[in-house]
Amino acid sequence: MRQARGRCEHKPPLWFRCAAPGTEADHVHPCSRGGPTELWNGQLLCRRHNRRKSNRVPSPLYRRRLERRRKKY
């Protein structure tokens, strides 16, 4: 939560990062799909984005963009 500064970490490709408070912890690569329960595999999402993501595995592009964004905050 501290790393994400309390904000949702979702960011669509052509838009700004979500301004909603991050209230739910989520696995970037879901446990149900073989993702590890490790800190580096976690992300903070608002309720809406966590429900939309469900147990989908994000694209490599999404993961790279998330890593790059995290360096800024």
Side-chain angles (χ1 to χ4, degrees):
M1 287 184 85
R2 244 189 341 242
Q3 178 184 5
R5 295 188 182 145
R7 280 181 56 201
C8 176
E9 292 190 270
H10 177 77
K11 182 184 178 298
L14 300 173
W15 204 249
F16 298 104
R17 182 176 166 199
C18 178
T23 56
E24 300 183 9
D26 178 59
H27 288 86
V28 176
H29 189 102
C31 276
S32 63
R33 303 279 179 118
T37 302
E38 309 249 345
L39 259 155
W40 61 266
N41 190 38
Q43 65 181 339
L44 193 62
L45 295 175
C46 64
R47 184 175 185 85
R48 182 175 133 233
H49 286 123
N50 196 18
R51 297 297 177 265
R52 280 178 58 198
K53 180 181 176 286
S54 186
N55 71 336
R56 282 184 263 144
V57 176
S59 69
L61 176 63
Y62 179 89
R63 292 191 304 255
R64 277 196 310 273
R65 290 176 63 236
L66 179 62
E67 283 180 32
R68 244 190 338 234
R69 258 194 333 274
R70 284 182 170 171
K71 290 177 184 176
K72 295 177 185 177
Y73 53 82

